[in-house]
Amino acid sequence: MVISRKIQVRLNILFVTAVIISIAVFSMYELGYLEELQTILAKDNYIFYWMLLVGVFAEIVAGSMGMGYGVICTTTLLLLNIPPHIVSASIHSAESFTTAAGSLSHIKLKNVSKSLVKKLAVPAVIGAVIGAVSLTYLGEYYAKITKTLIAFYTLYLGIQILSNAFKEKQSKALKRKTNLTRLGVIGGFIDSFAGGGWGPLVTGTLIKNAFTPRFAVGSSTVAKFILTLTAAVTFFFTLGIQHWNIILGLLIGGIITAPFSAMLTAKLPVKKMFVIIGTLVIVMSSITIYKSVFN
């Protein structure tokens, strides 16, 4: 019953989005801008279409595992030699919409603790601003070093994802004391600076410390939306809007897949998904590190 309601909410969002996109495309056709749109989509070796596939894949992973969207997108974009600051800015711009859809679903399903969101979101916003401003400077002037550091971080996240496949089910132990302010600041900074990592770090820590999983995931998702929007706005003021083809590809791919990710959650073998995604992220991050160090 819960899954069907969640699917219905996302299907409604998908329908509204499809209508908006259809109206936009038709308007561009009528105004004679369709050829220009096709030229934009063909830029940078048709990267829009590659990002469309990445957006679909990343949303399937995030929908079935509750984390991994930013990690998959960041690892792929770094492998394609996109500058780190453009990587994070593009991902957060697209993710502002996908996390909004997820947040609405969790709020409607009453999976959100307002107090937990507040304790996570306020420090996360501070961390996100610091991370975005730092990356804007470092990504532009120290791109190779920054890219290597982020690749090492995604390698670490890949190992963490892989290790989840071999963890035994957690017993219902007493809830461990968690410094939510520190967790929010660090999570916000890392997610903004590295292009992803909030899910594995924050949601993973909450569940590990025996927070009720549905409230941990729901509240973390809402806090993630707030920090994502903050990071996107910060990047807009520091960098402007760049690489629309990347943003549109990730956004449309994610929106198309989002309504069906809830169905996949119950059907996909999650442990095998952890192995496949963890291994993929490790391999791609290792290639990026190799290229950064030896090229």
Side-chain angles (χ1 to χ4, degrees), residues 8-236:
Q8 187 59 52
V9 171
R10 293 191 172 188
L11 282 173
N12 290 339
I13 294 170
L14 176 63
F15 175 75
V16 172
T17 305
V19 170
I20 293 171
I21 291 174
S22 299
I23 292 172
V25 172
F26 179 75
S27 300
M28 293 188 77
Y29 173 77
E30 287 294 311
L31 294 170
Y33 292 128
L34 201 56
E35 286 187 12
E36 291 184 25
L37 176 62
Q38 291 173 336
T39 303
I40 292 171
L41 298 184
K43 281 178 63 180
D44 303 323
N45 296 316
Y46 296 94
I47 197 170
F48 166 79
Y49 299 102
W50 290 109
M51 291 304 100
L52 196 65
L53 291 175
V54 172
V56 168
F57 181 60
E59 183 58 35
I60 290 174
V61 173
S64 59
M65 294 165 51
M67 61 184 74
Y69 184 93
V71 179
I72 292 292
C73 294
T74 300
T75 309
T76 305
L77 287 168
L78 287 178
L79 194 64
L80 293 173
N81 292 318
I82 306 297
H85 56 296
I86 300 299
V87 169
S88 189
S90 300
I91 290 171
H92 284 92
S93 297
E95 216 176 1
S96 295
F97 296 91
T98 56
T99 53
S103 296
L104 287 173
S105 297
H106 283 295
I107 290 170
K108 192 173 180 65
L109 296 171
K110 298 180 180 178
N111 292 341
V112 178
S113 164
K114 290 182 180 179
S115 62
L116 183 55
V117 171
K118 186 177 179 181
K119 289 175 183 176
L120 286 173
V122 173
V125 164
I126 297 170
V129 172
I130 296 172
V133 172
S134 300
L135 183 62
T136 298
Y137 175 73
L138 293 174
E140 189 171 351
Y141 295 100
Y142 303 101
K144 188 173 181 178
I145 297 172
T146 308
K147 182 179 178 181
T148 307
L149 289 174
I150 294 173
F152 270 111
Y153 177 66
T154 56
L155 176 65
Y156 163 75
L157 290 179
I159 295 170
Q160 288 291 99
I161 291 171
L162 183 61
S163 68
N164 285 335
F166 306 101
K167 287 181 181 177
E168 294 182 4
K169 280 190 175 181
Q170 183 183 340
S171 60
K172 292 184 179 179
L174 291 173
K175 187 185 293 185
R176 298 180 190 175
K177 188 174 181 181
T178 308
N179 189 324
L180 295 174
T181 300
R182 183 172 61 193
L183 184 64
V185 171
I186 295 173
F189 174 83
I190 288 177
D191 194 272
S192 183
F193 187 85
W198 174 269
L201 177 63
V202 178
T203 310
T205 299
L206 292 176
I207 294 174
K208 181 182 175 183
N209 290 358
F211 280 78
T212 306
R214 61 184 281 247
F215 289 116
V217 173
S219 304
S220 178
T221 299
V222 175
K224 162 75 171 175
F225 163 67
I226 296 169
L227 90 84
T228 300
L229 189 60
T230 301
V233 171
T234 305
F235 280 123
F236 174 77

